[in-house]
Amino acid sequence: MAKNIDKSQKKKADLRGAVIDFFNTENQAAYNYKQVSAGVGASTPKSRADVVEILEQLALDGFLSEVSPGKFKAKQRGTTGEGVFVRRSNGKNSVIIDDADEAIFVAERNSMHALNGDRVLVHICANRRGFEPEAEVLQIIEHKDQVFIGTLQVEKYFAHLVTDSKFLATDIFIPKNKLKGGHTGDKAIARIIEWPDDANSPVGEIVDILGETGNNDVEQNAILAEFGLPYVYPEDVVLAANKIDAGITPEVVAARRDMREITTFTIDPKDAKDFDDALSIRTLDNGNYEVGVHIADVTHYVTPGSTIDQEAESRATSVYLVDRVVPMLPEHLCNGICSLRPDEEKLTFSCVFEMDANAKVINKDICRTVIKSDRRFTYEEAQERIETGKGDFCEEILTLDRLAKILRARRYEEGSIDFDRCEVRFDIDETGRPIDVYFKESKDANKLIEEFMLLANKTVAEAIGKMKRGRSTKAFVYRVHDVPNEEKLANLVEIARTFGHKFRLSSKRIEMNKSLNTLLQDIKGKGEENLISTLAMRSMAKAVYTTDNIGHYGLGFDFYTHFTSPIRRYPDMMVHRLLDKYLNGGRSVNKQKLEDECKHCSEMEQLAANAERASIKYKQVEYLGERLGEVYEGVISGVTEWGLYVELNENKCEGLVPIRDLEDDFYELDEKNYCLIGRRKKMRYRLGDPITIQVARADLAKKQLDFALVDKDHPANPDLKNGKMKPAFSMPKKMKDKREKHEGANSKPSKRGKRRRARK
């Protein structure tokens, strides 16, 4: 029996969807409104009248044809499919059909006001010669739970939110009773509650007021909210964490390997508070070394399904913004009980290695331990001991450094790729204003820690993944890295050849990666270094979490996982639990459920990375916004049809030289060779070329920097006077649309990411 839609109070949009479903199922025959009403359960005069209106509208939309007066039939044109709607503020909406790589254009009039990320049913129009395919939304199957960030404008009788979103072209109308106390100029978070068919703007409600626009804390929280990441910690989770005691009782210690008397220390960044790994070392009677990699035993305190665990699983990772860390775990755990602070007994999960003088692993043990760190080193302090040979625990650090260098050399010999890029950091004053930029360099002390963490991660993955013959493999969390893009690698070969460098493609991973490492070493300090290293990085796949182990291409490992950072990564907590279960003879967990959790963690990791990049970009724009008119040297870091992206040598800030500023010629994009070429003079601007620019504009709201090209052989661009550009140019709409799409971050959240808390 048809379900009575009137009793279930379905909206007209749901009725429209039911009518579409009816014709998709019964699309070979023609039906009148009575037959359709009976088929969808529209039993009242009002709902039947709605059916009549829907049939007429679907006929106007082209989905139905009226084969005779009052009788309708589904048109047999194109195909119907489900997918994810992609909305853009420039009107270039599209839908990504399931299991398809191509995005199909959706005109606004055919969008049903679907929002970015909504799951939709679409009709794909048959291709016409000379035209790209188009789709029209027939039904919004599932609305993505999302919010929008912007600045409030409050009038006498109404208000609206001027959004910062790259996914919405219009402001959001806010009724006065939905303002939640907001005032003009407040940065606020809004949720769309309805978007009437005949309205240009959606209607929304304020979810939270972040504070005054421009305030540093407000803007950083706005970045988190923009990507669906939490910016406050739920009070109930904090209270639950505060009740947890360290609980290192004699009974607990007795069940573990006691390593409290062995020399142990941590090496971390100077501003770190959550020390989740420590190293121990001692010389054995046989002359070998015992090296312990000790990891905070977070899962001893956080039980599966608990309030704390649910929050950690939802977050999946800590988020590192320019001036703060948004932790995955409450502070009492991450900076207190679990942190391996000096002179405190701590519970750990460890990989203990017996190694000879050549860093060969003779024996290994994966076990739960109790330790007591003797010293907390910063990277700078450890580096000083490596360079000078002086200071406390100098002998232990020098021994670990020597072993790490042997491990690293062996790893490269076995096909690991040597990507070594600097990271941008800011000196921030008490108000959050960036006053200087510096680079984080990876020195021997950093590489020492990295090498032993890699060894521990690899060892744990092999312990579960390399099962003995005759035993079935148990479901596990792997960190995998797929093979590079073949087309991009082939292009890299051609580009390297133009600079006189050789890079050999090979079906054998070790041979090709050795060739790539040689290339990366050869270009160091040369003009083409930025170009070639950038192209090499872009050819690589993204590393993800999965239960299907395909190895880690970049590291050259057949088995790899994440075990060493459970304070800040949920996959490491998952690995700790699985490891404990399997080492004690437990049966395999459900692989599909574990895979779903892996996918969620990968998606949240990407969201966190997007937020981190947005935070850096915001500070770069803020920093250079105070330096308008200043001239810098840089390199071309991106080439597009709308201009040149330039990365400055001094501070690694990136901005755009709009193509209209290249006034000496008409420039065209050569995609294959990553350059712009002048049509008449053949002047070429290529990725990696050195270039001189002047800071022209800084737009904090859009996180965009515009540069103006400076010709060193002539006076500075005459359009630049007193550090200001001539009146803002009007970039051609097509180019502006593509720039916005290019600079818009991918912020598609996972299903679990919908559980974001937006309350204080």
Side-chain angles (χ1 to χ4, degrees), residues 726-745:
K726 65 184 181 182
F729 68 91
S730 178
M731 183 181 287
K733 187 175 187 303
K734 182 178 180 181
M735 292 183 183
K736 185 177 180 182
D737 292 345
K738 288 188 176 181
R739 177 186 180 179
E740 288 182 0
K741 182 176 181 181
H742 173 80
E743 295 186 347

Side-chain angles (χ1 to χ4, degrees), residues 12 16 90 121 145 192 207 231 248 398 404 480 523 548 585 593 601 645 660 719:
K12 193 173 180 180
R16 175 188 168 98
N90 55 28
L121 173 70
D145 184 19
I192 291 176
V207 174
Y231 51 91
I248 305 179
L398 288 173
V480 305
I523 63 176
D548 296 319
K593 183 179 178 181
C601 290
Y645 285 95
R660 73 95 186 166
D719 294 329

Side-chain angles (χ1 to χ4, degrees), residues 154-159 173-177 179:
V154 182
E155 308 294 341
K156 185 174 182 181
Y157 298 109
F158 65 91
F173 177 81
I174 310 292
K176 292 294 286 286
N177 63 345
L179 272 175

Side-chain angles (χ1 to χ4, degrees), residues 68-93:
S68 62
K71 299 201 76 173
F72 297 86
K73 181 180 179 180
K75 281 188 176 180
Q76 297 301 303
R77 61 176 181 83
T79 58
T80 302
E82 290 187 16
V84 177
F85 189 81
V86 180
R87 173 172 287 279
R88 292 289 177 184
S89 61
N90 55 28
K92 302 294 184 181
N93 306 326

Side-chain angles (χ1 to χ4, degrees), residues 68 92 162 222 291 364 374 392 439 453 503 522 613 735:
S68 62
K92 302 294 184 181
V162 182
V291 178
K364 53 195 171 188
D374 298 288
D392 56 336
F439 308 131
M453 297 307 114
F503 171 45
D522 288 347
R613 282 193 292 270
M735 292 183 183

Side-chain angles (χ1 to χ4, degrees), residues 36 209 228 232 249 301 323 326 332 341 356 370 393 409 425 440 443 508 511 517 570 590 673 696 703 749:
V36 176
I209 302 296
V232 291
T249 63
Y301 299 103
D323 62 344
V326 183
H332 181 62
R341 299 184 297 196
D356 64 17
V370 57
F393 299 101
R425 293 288 185 267
K440 177 186 173 185
K443 296 186 177 181
K508 296 181 179 179
E511 289 183 6
N517 283 339
Y570 195 76
N590 182 280
N673 293 301
K703 305 181 188 72

